[in-house]
Amino acid sequence: HSERAVSIRHDEPSRFSGTVLMINARRYQDLPFADRGRGDTVDCWGLVQRVYRDEFGIELPGYDDSYLTTTDREEISAMIRQEQHHWAAVPLQAAHTGDVVLMRIEGRLTHVGIVLDAPHFLHALKGAGVVVESWESLIWRRRVVGAYRLKERAGAGSNAA
């Protein structure tokens, strides 16, 4: 496992403005993959949800009742499109620690990871578990749709999703 701890200061206004964000990827790399995993096992969204809770104190919805397995690409893609309004698109070159990377698998929006330090992201894959990769790699560069940042929601407090 590669070890990555990242510290980035955000310059643009956001819920994290003026704070130093760090994600210690090693903390998550031993988590096994499981479809609809939320907790000690994770799928790609389960990992994002856990990192947001553990690192930022933000509870994101689970969505684990929206699909049976990560191969249910139609259901996952529909759910992502339905929930995308909670997230602001960010150019990849402006992505920061904690932003979510959205990817296409088999032509559908079905996979997410969390930015460590551009272009590196942490994500969970069936058969591999939690790994750190680059969106500039051959396998991911054509699949990455973009980066997204959680929008501030007035009166939502830490339940900003």
Side-chain angles (χ1 to χ4, degrees):
H1 295 302
S2 63
E3 184 173 340
R4 229 177 240 293
V6 179
S7 172
I8 301 280
R9 183 170 296 279
H10 287 260
D11 297 325
E12 54 204 66
S14 75
R15 104 176 265 105
F16 307 116
S17 186
T19 62
V20 175
L21 298 182
M22 284 181 64
I23 297 173
N24 184 351
R26 192 170 196 188
R27 176 179 180 184
Y28 302 98
Q29 285 182 299
D30 290 331
L31 292 173
F33 180 93
D35 283 321
R36 301 186 330 169
R38 304 291 185 268
D40 293 333
T41 62
V42 293
D43 63 9
C44 65
W45 181 254
L47 176 65
V48 170
Q49 184 189 38
R50 179 164 171 169
V51 169
Y52 265 70
R53 182 180 57 243
D54 292 355
E55 305 294 331
F56 310 135
I58 296 172
E59 286 295 330
L60 296 174
Y63 303 126
D64 50 326
D65 58 351
S66 299
Y67 60 96
L68 292 177
T69 74
T70 54
T71 59
D72 293 338
R73 303 206 192 289
E74 294 261 340
E75 291 85 354
I76 294 170
S77 187
M79 184 265 306
I80 288 172
R81 285 191 309 275
Q82 179 181 333
E83 297 299 318
Q84 245 178 327
H85 67 279
H86 294 299
W87 300 83
V90 177
L92 274 180
Q93 61 272 25
H96 291 300
T97 302
D99 289 340
V100 172
V101 181
L102 179 60
M103 292 157 270
R104 277 191 182 93
I105 305 290
E106 296 178 3
R108 292 191 175 92
L109 301 174
T110 59
H111 189 59
V112 293
I114 190 159
V115 176
L116 296 174
D117 60 333
H120 300 100
F121 66 101
L122 186 69
H123 65 133
L125 289 171
K126 187 177 276 190
V130 177
V131 294
V132 174
E133 295 193 83
S134 169
W135 63 63
E136 294 175 346
S137 69
L138 287 175
I139 193 168
W140 294 112
R141 83 172 77 169
R142 292 179 187 210
R143 294 178 176 177
V144 171
V145 174
Y148 292 82
R149 188 166 299 149
L150 188 61
K151 290 180 181 177
E152 292 264 341
R153 288 177 56 193
S158 66
N159 293 321

